[in-house]
């Protein structure tokens, strides 16, 4: 049978918002604005409001906590963790902060650290079913199934109709080969939500293990009715039909399983077996060859990212950034004129002379952050990513709130393989107000 994964079923924002009446009045106004925007799902706006509250009152734990929630809802879990860290430093007894930090760590697949955070949340709030549920999920991801089972049991004691806990407990019992016990949990899920196809899929798999093949087919029919792209249920139904010697029906199911996931070597084997029974020996041998020869080393590995930021992707992400070329008073050394001429020359495709002008602008005015940034962009366009990072470093040193520079430096670092530092830069860009960073974070940092 193929592996089914547990997921954290709680949205981080659903864990509640902390209020504070201790902040200064102006900071309190921004804080309240952040709460209002969060409730309206305007998380980018909420983030900016909480950032202003933090600027005015940097010792207010709820501002960091709620900004962390906003970042988490924008899928910026690295940035969220940093805010939760600060909230916990300021208020080490905030169970919600530990719980939320655990969720963000689990989203980064750091389940060991997440388990510790959930454990601390449980110590601070021992009757919170969500903390037990989340710890159970992380324990499952660490193959700690007996500990996970205890956590799901406790969740259900505290919240008897927690449908996610019943489903998770059913999967955990399967991992412990308690097939009969899992049936009761999946049945409870189906009772609580008759349209949840996963319940029928899980129960069908357990029935196969208990040799109830006819019952498995009925449950898997239901699972497929709710989700026609559930390749695992097609495979399992094909297996059950094969056991019932319905080779034509099984063949169709295996064929569908292969169409949904071409790396499913077990489905090739099943289809080959059916072809052999149906006297298609040539087709059977082809399927058996595929089942034997297919490289399955990573067939069931989790895909963590949509793909690395390659050079073409980097170019597309970087080139949407506009250089800051605003009219300024022309200084005596005329660095602004060299800078503006460089921008124009680069737009004409003359990067070589544009670099000469930028070098001159920086020579005349070594504190010209925009010139460093623009030179960094051109260097990146020319393939000199390390030189580009050096220029971005200089621009940030001169202007620590230069959001676009954090964005560009972040995507360049990511493209060079430093994913963590790149994603932290993208988080900082978003925090400073450059909202396109969150699209990149969503695609490449989770």
């Amino acid at each position: 049978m193929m592996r089914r994964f547990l997921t954290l079923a709680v949205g981080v924002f659903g864990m509640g918002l902390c209020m504070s009446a201790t902040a200064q009045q102006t900071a309190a106004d921004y804080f309240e604005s952040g709460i209002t925007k969060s409730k309206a799902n305007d998380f980018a706006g909420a983030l900016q409001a909480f950032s202003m509250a933090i600027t005015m009152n940097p010792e207010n734990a709820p501002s960091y906590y709620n900004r962390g929630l906003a970042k988490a809802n924008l899928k910026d879990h690295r940035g969220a963790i940093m805010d939760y860290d600060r909230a916990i430093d300021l208020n080490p007894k905030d169970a919600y902060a530990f719980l939320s930090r655990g969720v963000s760590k689990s989203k980064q697949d750091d389940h060991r650290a997440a388990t510790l955070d959930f454990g601390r949340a449980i110590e601070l709030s021992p009757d919170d079913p969500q903390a037990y549920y989340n710890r159970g999920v992380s324990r499952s991801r660490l193959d700690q199934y007996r500990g996970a089972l205890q956590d799901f049991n406790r969740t259900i004691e505290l919240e008897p109709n927690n449908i996610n806990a019943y489903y998770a407990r059913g999967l955990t019992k399967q991992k412990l080969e308690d097939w009969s016990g899992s049936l009761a949990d999946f049945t409870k899920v189906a009772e609580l939500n008759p349209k949840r196809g996963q319940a029928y899929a899980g129960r069908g798999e357990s029935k196969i293990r208990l040799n109830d093949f006819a019952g498995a087919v009925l449950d898997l029919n239901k699972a497929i009715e709710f989700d026609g792209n559930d390749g695992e249920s097609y495979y399992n139904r094909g297996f059950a039909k094969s056991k019932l010697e319905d080779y034509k029906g099984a063949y169709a199911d295996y064929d569908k399983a292969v169409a949904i996931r071409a790396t499913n070597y077990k489905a090739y084997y099943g289809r080959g077996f059916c072809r052999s029974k149906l006297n298609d020996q040539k087709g059977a041998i082809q399927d058996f060859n595929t089942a034997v020869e297919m490289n399955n080393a990573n067939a069931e590995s989790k895909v963590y990212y949509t793909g690395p930021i390659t050079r073409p992707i980097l170019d597309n992400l970087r080139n949407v950034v506009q250089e800051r070329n605003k009219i300024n008073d022309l200084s005596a050394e005329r660095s602004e004129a060299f800078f503006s001429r460089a921008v124009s020359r680069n737009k004409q495709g003359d990067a070589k002379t544009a670099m000469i002008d930028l070098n001159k602008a920086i020579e005349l005015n070594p504190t010209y952050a925009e010139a460093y940034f623009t030179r960094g962009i051109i260097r990146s366009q020319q393939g000199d990513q390390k030189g580009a990072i050096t220029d971005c470093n200089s621009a940030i040193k001169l202007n620590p709130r230069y959001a676009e520079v954090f964005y560009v430096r972040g995507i360049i670092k990511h493209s060079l393989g430093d994913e963590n530092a790149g994603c932290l830069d993208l988080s900082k860009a978003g925090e400073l107000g450059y909202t396109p960073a969150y699209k990149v974070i969503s695609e490449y940092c989770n």
Side-chain angles (χ1 to χ4, degrees), residues 162-232:
N162 188 321
I163 189 170
N164 292 322
Y166 281 107
Y167 178 70
R169 191 171 71 175
L171 293 182
T172 303
K173 287 177 179 178
Q174 287 183 327
K175 293 298 181 183
L176 295 169
E177 298 187 359
D178 178 11
W179 309 107
S180 297
S182 71
L183 290 179
D185 283 332
F186 292 132
T187 298
K188 183 66 173 179
V189 174
E191 289 174 359
L192 292 170
N193 182 2
K195 294 185 178 181
R196 184 160 178 172
Q198 293 170 312
Y200 303 101
R203 194 168 66 182
E205 182 175 341
S206 289
K207 285 181 177 179
I208 287 174
R209 296 289 188 170
L210 294 167
N211 295 323
D212 179 9
F213 302 115
V217 169
L218 292 175
D219 273 336
L220 294 164
N221 288 345
K222 199 76 172 172
I224 291 168
E225 177 185 328
F226 287 114
D227 183 1
N229 290 313
D230 182 358
E232 187 173 348

Side-chain angles (χ1 to χ4, degrees), residues 279-344:
N279 294 319
D280 176 12
Q281 304 309 329
K282 182 178 179 181
I285 290 171
Q286 289 177 340
D287 276 339
F288 291 143
N289 287 344
T290 302
V292 170
E293 295 168 5
M294 184 176 287
N295 180 3
N296 297 300
N298 297 311
E300 297 190 11
S301 296
K302 180 180 176 183
V303 179
Y304 288 87
Y305 307 102
T306 57
I309 296 181
T310 60
R311 174 68 184 275
I313 295 171
L314 172 62
D315 290 342
N316 289 334
L317 294 175
R318 180 197 60 238
N319 292 341
V320 300
V321 179
Q322 300 296 316
E323 71 284 330
R324 291 187 181 180
N325 184 21
K326 296 181 180 180
I327 189 70
N328 293 302
D329 289 335
L330 191 62
S331 60
E333 76 275 4
R334 296 168 296 161
S335 60
E336 298 86 357
F338 283 101
F339 173 75
S340 295
R341 187 169 71 179
V343 170
S344 294

Side-chain angles (χ1 to χ4, degrees), residues 121-136:
I122 288 168
E123 290 175 12
L124 293 167
S125 182
D127 293 327
D128 182 2
Q130 195 63 56
Y132 289 100
Y133 173 78
N134 286 348
R135 189 172 69 177

